[in-house]
Amino acid sequence: MRLVLASTSPRRLDLLKRIGAEPVRIAAPDVDEDVHAGELPRAYVLRVALAKAQAVARAEDEIVLAGDTTIAVGRRILAKPADEPDLRRMLALLSGRRHHCLSAVCLIGLDGKARTRISDTIVTFKRLSDAEIDWYVASGEGMGKAGGYAIQGKAEAFVRFLSGSHSGVVGLPVFETRALLEGAGYQLG
């Protein structure tokens, strides 16, 4: 059985390699990641992970793995910031408060069935000063990231508390991913 990663994220590939999973190919899924009206964070992240996995064609001997991560403050979903003012808004919202990082994984097995797991990590940021927000926005690191931050980078200095999966916040919860791969019979190196 061969593994296909339905993601072009270098972070997801690195996290997969850490658990001994080597994809034979990487495919960029083309899916709509817009939030539907009234959609709750957990349903959203599971839907997008499933859509990404289903968007990639697979051969008979291939399994497809996809993931999606989002940040939720209450029922509000913080997707990737559209621009710098949007990033500033997100950072101000996260400042001094607790939020959830939901990271879903979907695996389509040899039988064609989709199986999913989700990791819910609670993260609390310190109170951010205007100068800290300016510094982080100027770094450019938060653009293109769910919730406007990368925990594996400069934003790690803002994390006062974390309960759950650090790798899930990075973009792929390795515990849940490993369980899905083992359940499908994939041999980890």
Side-chain angles (χ1 to χ4, degrees):
M1 133 180 4
R2 301 173 334 135
L3 175 63
V4 176
L5 177 59
S7 173
T8 57
S9 164
R11 292 163 303 284
R12 286 196 178 109
L13 179 59
D14 179 55
L15 289 166
L16 264 181
K17 287 180 178 179
R18 288 185 198 179
I19 59 171
E22 281 285 339
V24 293
R25 67 184 171 93
I26 295 170
D30 183 22
V31 299
D32 177 13
E33 294 186 39
D34 290 340
V35 179
H36 297 165
E39 193 169 32
L40 295 176
R42 183 175 289 272
Y44 165 77
V45 76
L46 283 167
R47 176 182 61 80
V48 174
L50 175 63
K52 287 178 178 180
Q54 291 174 330
V56 172
R58 67 176 186 84
E60 238 176 61
D61 65 339
E62 291 179 333
I63 59 173
V64 176
L65 183 80
D68 192 61
T69 301
T70 197
I71 302 299
V73 179
R75 297 169 64 120
R76 285 177 284 191
I77 296 170
L78 300 185
K80 298 171 184 171
D83 51 27
E84 283 190 7
D86 194 29
L87 176 56
R88 285 179 190 285
R89 178 191 63 79
M90 287 182 188
L91 293 171
L93 183 63
L94 296 172
S95 176
R97 77 186 326 171
R98 181 179 101 155
H99 59 276
H100 290 260
C101 177
L102 300 164
S103 193
V105 183
C106 180
L107 181 113
I108 297 181
L110 293 177
D111 59 2
K113 290 184 181 176
R115 292 163 181 84
T116 58
R117 295 276 177 106
I118 191 165
S119 165
D120 183 352
T121 302
I122 298 169
V123 181
T124 304
F125 270 19
K126 70 183 272 321
R127 283 209 185 281
L128 301 174
S129 68
D130 290 341
E132 288 169 320
I133 291 174
D134 291 344
W135 169 78
Y136 193 70
V137 169
S139 78
E141 182 179 87
M143 296 305 294
K145 307 288 189 305
Y149 73 91
I151 197 167
Q152 71 279 13
K154 294 172 176 55
E156 190 168 17
F158 301 153
V159 177
R160 190 169 54 97
F161 175 83
L162 184 142
S163 177
S165 171
H166 185 273
S167 62
V169 182
V170 174
L172 188 72
V174 295
F175 178 82
E176 289 79 0
T177 301
R178 184 180 185 96
L180 282 172
L181 289 168
E182 288 176 341
Y186 182 81
Q187 293 297 312
L188 295 165

